[in-house]
Amino acid sequence: KFYELSVSDTVKNGDAFLKLVIEPNSSVAEDVFRVFVNEVEIRAEQKNNSEIFGSASSALLKNIDQISSSTSLDDPTSAQSKALKWLLEQDPFRGTLSTSRSMNRYTIAVIYLSLRLPNIAAHLVGQENECSWTGVTCDAAGDVIKIELQNSQLTGEVPSEIHYFAPTLELVDFSENNIVGSIPDGLYSLRKLINLYLHNTALTGTLSSKVKNWVELNNLYLGNNELIGEVPTEITRLRKLRFLILHANKFKGNIPSSINEMKNLFYLDLSYNDLTGGLPGSLSGCTKLRHAYLDHNKLSGPIPSSYGRLGGDWIIDLTMDSNQLTGGLPSEWGDRKKLLTLKVQDNNLTWEIPKDICKQWVLDGNGELVELGADCNICHCDFCQGRCYS
């Protein structure tokens, strides 16, 4: 038999059709593929995602399967499923971008949806370059290096998909939001991270030993959350860390004794937790320390004599008030010209405040001390009159 093959255009109800006609003798068989074109939308009926975009889509879907679970992708209510649907059906630039660009767009969309960024549609429409999306910063190569969504009325969870940016991401700021849930493993995998700001949210759970992965971290802000458990010893492996802020959580247990390994530590805030045990003498090994807030815990025992040289004589703020400390401040406090704040009230101290500290009062012209918090029974400095705690 001889077959005739022809392809022709036709229009039905205003939609464009491709008509494939195969004619053996006088018989006719048709296979109609609907291609609806509406500026930025292309839909192929009865075709899977790979057939819509070809091999590029196959590579994209394979990559997505590697960072998102099949369970989340199959759940139509999940952020992952919604992000994929947007990417394949609604993204104005779908099918025109590289796999890596599309992966960036998918991952950011998952982050937006998981964190419940308000008015999300406005953030995903109209911008071809995802580096121009809200809170996203890229380097010259187009790799995502910063995600800053602080104070953005976020109410969801941080998705593990954020680990897709592990090779390049240097800054994450989700602070001043109502983020819930725990810190996901995906966040711990960001080995290039330099700055992490998750303070003033509603995070729960523990701080994992996986913090050791943040080897490049300079600033870690986790204050004012609902974190529990112990401060992991592994945190002292962060040798580049300058700011460690864990205040106003529910941490318990001891302050890691290996804290002296954090040679670059400049600002330490462990206040308003449930920390117990003694003050680690090893803290004096942090010679760059200038601000130490250890108040409002359940710390007990004496103040180590090495604290007389805390911060290499350059400590600026030291608060140890509202604990269960005994004894008193080291008798040889040194000549601390930069000391601004010293607070030790509301403890069980019995030793008199050293005269070296009295000499640092700013109004006497010998130092810069502007705030001394001490119980009246141990403070006999002239400036304690009317300023001590009874």
Side-chain angles (χ1 to χ4, degrees):
K1 297 180 180 180
F2 294 94
Y3 293 80
E4 181 180 351
L5 174 65
S6 64
V7 179
S8 62
D9 295 331
T10 186
V11 176
K12 183 178 181 181
N13 296 330
D15 289 347
F17 277 73
L18 293 181
K19 186 176 183 181
L20 175 65
V21 180
I22 305 175
E23 296 185 0
N25 296 331
S26 59
S27 302
V28 177
E30 292 186 354
D31 187 6
V32 178
F33 297 89
R34 180 175 181 269
V35 182
F36 169 68
V37 181
N38 183 13
E39 294 184 352
V40 295
E41 289 194 324
I42 301 176
R43 295 179 182 174
E45 201 168 76
Q46 297 179 342
K47 293 290 181 178
N48 61 30
N49 295 325
S50 296
E51 290 173 316
I52 296 176
F53 299 113
S55 59
S57 179
S58 297
L60 174 61
L61 293 174
K62 183 178 180 180
N63 287 346
I64 289 175
D65 284 340
Q66 291 177 349
I67 70 169
S68 296
S69 69
S70 58
T71 302
S72 61
L73 291 171
D74 291 340
D75 179 1
T77 65
S78 72
Q80 293 78 6
S81 178
K82 292 177 181 179
L84 180 59
K85 181 178 178 62
W86 171 82
L87 186 70
L88 298 179
E89 298 181 9
Q90 300 170 357
D91 184 359
F93 303 97
R94 66 191 183 282
T96 66
L97 304 175
S98 65
T99 299
S100 61
R101 288 280 308 280
S102 295
M103 282 299 297
N104 284 351
R105 296 166 82 83
Y106 168 76
T107 305
I108 298 170
V110 170
I111 292 172
Y112 283 174
L113 288 161
S114 293
L115 291 174
R116 299 178 184 175
L117 181 66
N119 194 22
I120 189 170
H123 299 288
L124 295 177
V125 176
Q127 292 288 344
E128 176 180 2
N129 194 333
E130 60 278 3
C131 295
S132 300
W133 289 4
T134 300
V136 177
T137 301
C138 299
D139 60 15
D143 294 319
V144 177
I145 59 173
K146 296 180 182 179
I147 302 178
E148 300 171 279
L149 295 173
Q150 66 273 19
N151 197 21
S152 297
Q153 300 179 348
L154 308 178
T155 59
E157 300 184 21
V158 180
S160 282
E161 279 79 3
I162 197 171
H163 82 268
Y164 176 73
F165 296 128
T168 58
L169 196 57
E170 298 176 355
L171 184 151
V172 172
D173 189 348
F174 296 150
S175 63
E176 306 290 343
N177 286 292
N178 194 31
I179 296 174
V180 297
S182 59
I183 300 174
D185 285 346
L187 202 54
Y188 288 116
S189 70
L190 302 180
R191 295 179 180 271
K192 296 291 186 180
L193 206 58
I194 297 174
N195 303 292
L196 178 58
Y197 304 108
L198 297 175
H199 54 284
N200 295 342
T201 63
L203 288 172
T204 56
T206 61
L207 187 58
S208 169
S209 61
K210 295 176 184 178
V211 295
K212 64 186 179 183
N213 294 334
W214 294 330
V215 293
E216 300 295 328
L217 204 63
N218 286 183
N219 301 303
L220 177 58
Y221 284 60
L222 295 175
N224 199 18
N225 280 291
E226 297 292 329
L227 298 174
I228 62 174
E230 297 187 358
V231 177
T233 301
E234 289 79 5
I235 204 168
T236 63
R237 297 187 190 181
L238 307 183
R239 308 298 164 76
K240 296 183 179 181
L241 200 66
R242 297 187 71 249
F243 284 75
L244 175 57
I245 300 179
L246 303 178
H247 76 279
N249 278 285
K250 297 178 181 179
F251 288 115
K252 62 181 182 179
N254 298 339
I255 299 173
S257 60
S258 54
I259 196 168
N260 60 303
E261 297 178 11
M262 306 176 77
K263 300 300 184 183
N264 286 297
L265 195 61
F266 177 85
Y267 192 108
L268 174 66
D269 192 350
L270 301 177
S271 63
Y272 289 90
N273 279 288
D274 293 318
L275 297 174
T276 56
L279 293 169
S282 56
L283 186 61
S284 60
C286 301
T287 56
K288 295 183 179 180
L289 188 64
R290 299 294 178 266
H291 308 270
Y293 303 97
L294 309 173
D295 55 281
H296 291 86
N297 280 288
K298 298 176 182 177
L299 299 170
S300 59
I303 299 173
S305 60
S306 59
Y307 279 35
R309 295 292 181 183
L310 197 62
D313 285 345
W314 290 97
I315 195 74
I316 296 174
D317 298 305
L318 176 59
T319 64
M320 300 178 287
D321 52 296
S322 301
N323 279 291
Q324 300 167 14
L325 302 175
T326 57
L329 289 167
S331 57
E332 294 184 5
W333 192 255
D335 185 16
R336 295 179 172 274
K337 298 293 186 182
K338 298 297 182 181
L339 185 64
L340 294 178
T341 303
L342 176 62
K343 299 177 71 175
V344 294
Q345 76 273 13
D346 194 20
N347 277 291
N348 298 317
L349 302 180
T350 55
W351 299 357
E352 185 178 340
I353 295 293
K355 290 182 172 54
D356 284 344
I357 294 177
C358 296
K359 295 176 182 178
Q360 303 303 315
W361 186 237
V362 65
L363 295 182
D364 290 341
N366 297 318
E368 297 183 10
L369 186 64
V370 296
E371 183 176 7
L372 174 61
D375 294 330
C376 294
N377 65 313
I378 63 170
C379 189
H380 299 148
C381 304
D382 290 341
F383 58 82
C384 279
Q385 301 299 322
R387 295 187 179 93
C388 58
Y389 292 79
S390 57

